[in-house]
Structures are given as structure tokens and as C-alpha cells.
Amino acid sequence: QLLLKKFLRQLVKAGGEVSLYSTAAHFSVFLLLPHLNVCKRNCGTTFRLALIQLHVSAVKSDNLQRACGLVREASAKGAKLVALPECFNSPYGTQYFKEYAEKIPGESTQKLSEVAKECSIYLIGGSIPEEDGGKLYNTCTVFGPDGALLAKHRKVHLFDINVPGKIQFKESETLSPGNSFSMFDTPYCKVGLGICYDMRFAEMAQIYGQKGCQLLIYPGAFNMTTGPAHWELLQRGRAVDNQLYVAAVSPARDEKASYVAWGHSTVVNPWGEVIAKAGAEETVVYTDIDLKKLAEIRQQIPILNQKRSDLYGVEMKK
């Protein structure tokens, strides 16, 4: 009765004169409106993410074929956003970058564009060695459901480290760094991109958060020294600091490779909880990204509104 009275008052305000039949029909719609509004708020706040932990071989054509096959598998299981690992089309190592490098567009990115369109998904193409203007880059491309290129991220921070007695690696011997942030929009949320070593730089993630990203994706290949020590720790740190989802997708572990990846592709929620995690083998990791939960966490602990911009700040310069 209260709903009917409210409905009739609205009709009077609008000066409407309607038949008994149309009043009943409109009142039926009126009764449904609260439910439709709830659906509008909640439907679409959750989407499925898939991380493809690919076993990468020395044969590029095999890598491409297997990657596209797993993308199709992920799509068939409901994934709307699918991500491949760092250097998914080639072995990881400074000795391989020049040999496997391609222009963009090129063979690998064409395959990614085609399978993204075929499956009508958003596809984050891990990374490939890119050649451009005589320089080499470690580059991630993103394709939309229509096959169009949405973003191209060149690894900003090059992996130059020396842990005595354990690992020494210097990407800068062959690669050049990228000089820009990379974000793209989806119907679900805005996504920020980094590659592997980029994840160690908290300022980069913070700026992505400032720009409205709710999900950060890092194709990465941590090794058997840095992986067990920092892989999950860094993801949880970036997620909690910025109250967003963080996903990192690794190649599968190959003990015979010159560079052995840690594996353990992972997704962390804004509370810092690991909500999906692979082992070391080739697999596809699935999880549902719940943006309603993200909003609730930001409301409960509103750190993004409590920052002291009068005392400190992080800014994007390019």
C-alpha cells in the first residue's frame, strides 16, 4: 500500500492521467525498480581474470600456438580479461632478446590481436622483445575484444642486479627502458600495467592508483633467488598500499632453462589476501575480481582520502 501511494503521488506530480490497465502495468515496473537498481549497482562489479602460466620453449611458433590455445581455454571458462607472462614468445635472457625481437605490429602481436577478437576478450600479451629504431625493448601489448591495440607498455625499470653468489643479471646490456605509464579502460575497471621489475617501485603503483586504476597487472619472471623472497611480498604490498587488486603472471618453471623462473602466478585483493596462486607448472589461474569488495575496503579504511598532500606527494612527470 505504501508503495502504491508513493507511485500515485508521483503520478499526480507529473500530472499524468492513465487508464487502469496502464497504471497496473506501470506499477508493476515500479515494484521492480528497486531490484533493477540493485542489479545495476552490483551486476558487472565482478569479472573473471585468467593468468596463463605458460611453459616457454625455444621455438617461437610453438609458444604462440600454445599461448593462443590456452587463451581460448580461458575464454571458454568465462574469463573476460586474460594475461600472458613476461617473454611469453621467447626464452628470457639477454642472449635471446635480439634473436627473438619483432616489430610491433609483427608476428606475435598479430596472433594476439586475432585471438582477442576471436574470443571477444581483453588480452594482456605478457611481453615480447620489441625492436624499434635500432633499439630493443621488453614490451607488453594489450588488445581489446575487437582486436584493436589498446596499450603498449615498455618496461620502465630494467632488471640490473647483482646478488653475490646467487644471481647477476643486466637487462641494460641489450634493452632500452620505456619512458611512460600505461593504462587502459575496460567496461569493468581501469587497468595499470608494469613488467616484472617495475613492481618493485611503489611510486609507479601509487600513480596508477591516483589515476583511477583498480587492477594492476605485472607480467613478470622473478627467479629462484628473488621469487621466494619477494614475489608475493611485493604484490601484497602494492595491493594494500593502494587498496586495489594486483596480479602477477609468470612463465612456468623450467629447470633446464638458462634463467629459471619462479612461477607461482598470483592474484592479491585490496585487503592484501592472496586469492589465487599457481604452483610452478604450466597452468591457468582463475579468479573473480570483485570491485564491490574494493569499494567496501576503501570506505572502511579511507586512506586515499586521508593522505597529507600538504606534507608529501608523488607525481607523474610524463
Side-chain angles (χ1 to χ4, degrees), residues 16 86-87 115 128 133 179 200 207 209 243 248 277 287 294:
E86 183 179 22
C87 283
V115 75
I128 65 170
N179 293 307
R200 288 187 179 271
I207 286 171
Q243 296 182 319
K277 189 174 185 178
T287 192
L294 180 149

Side-chain angles (χ1 to χ4, degrees), residues 1-11 23 26-35:
Q1 289 179 343
L2 290 174
L3 284 173
L4 180 57
K5 288 179 181 178
K6 183 177 180 182
F7 175 72
L8 292 174
R9 281 199 301 270
Q10 288 179 347
L11 278 181
T23 300
H26 282 78
F27 182 61
S28 296
V29 173
F30 177 77
L31 287 174
L32 289 172
L33 280 176
H35 303 287

Side-chain angles (χ1 to χ4, degrees), residues 104-273:
I104 295 178
E107 177 188 5
S108 296
T109 52
Q110 181 61 33
K111 293 287 187 185
L112 295 178
S113 172
E114 290 171 358
V115 75
K117 184 175 182 179
E118 175 190 334
C119 297
S120 191
I121 58 165
Y122 290 87
L123 179 58
I124 296 170
S127 78
I128 65 170
E130 176 200 6
E131 190 279 321
D132 184 33
K135 293 183 178 181
L136 299 179
Y137 301 91
N138 189 344
T139 303
C140 173
T141 52
V142 180
F143 295 90
D146 60 354
L149 179 67
L150 300 180
K152 184 172 81 169
H153 179 76
R154 289 170 170 168
K155 190 173 188 176
V156 172
H157 304 94
L158 297 183
F159 185 51
D160 288 4
I161 68 164
N162 183 11
V163 182
K166 293 185 177 180
I167 183 171
Q168 183 174 356
F169 201 93
K170 197 170 185 180
E171 276 189 323
S172 64
E173 289 178 346
T174 52
L175 298 179
S176 295
N179 293 307
S180 63
F181 292 81
S182 304
M183 295 163 272
F184 65 97
D185 289 305
T186 74
Y188 321 109
C189 68
K190 180 179 281 190
V191 181
L193 298 172
I195 298 176
C196 200
Y197 203 51
D198 287 339
M199 185 162 55
R200 288 187 179 271
F201 298 85
E203 298 87 349
M204 191 172 184
Q206 186 174 338
I207 286 171
Y208 279 139
Q210 291 172 358
K211 296 297 181 181
C213 293
Q214 294 177 304
L215 170 64
L216 304 184
I217 296 188
Y218 296 92
F222 275 38
N223 53 67
M224 299 300 289
T225 297
T226 60
H230 302 145
W231 176 251
E232 182 181 309
L233 175 66
L234 287 167
Q235 292 170 65
R236 295 182 69 188
R238 300 294 84 84
V240 171
D241 284 349
N242 301 288
Q243 296 182 319
L244 40 67
Y245 284 89
V246 174
V249 52
S250 169
R253 189 180 305 171
D254 182 357
E255 300 285 359
K256 297 178 182 178
S258 58
Y259 181 97
V260 181
W262 171 238
H264 297 288
S265 298
T266 306
V267 184
V268 179
N269 71 15
W271 195 254
E273 298 168 320

Side-chain angles (χ1 to χ4, degrees), residues 7-72:
F7 175 72
L8 292 174
R9 281 199 301 270
Q10 288 179 347
L11 278 181
V12 171
K13 286 181 181 179
E17 293 184 6
V18 294
S19 68
L20 180 63
Y21 175 80
S22 63
T23 300
H26 282 78
F27 182 61
S28 296
V29 173
F30 177 77
L31 287 174
L32 289 172
L33 280 176
H35 303 287
L36 293 174
N37 287 335
V38 169
C39 182
K40 185 177 180 181
R41 285 194 301 271
N42 296 341
C43 297
T45 61
T46 300
F47 66 95
R48 177 154 288 190
L49 169 68
L51 308 182
I52 296 176
Q53 186 163 287
L54 184 72
H55 180 274
V56 179
S57 74
V59 183
K60 182 188 287 188
S61 60
D62 288 350
N63 296 330
L64 293 175
Q65 183 178 6
R66 194 162 58 258
C68 289
L70 289 172
V71 168
R72 294 185 183 96

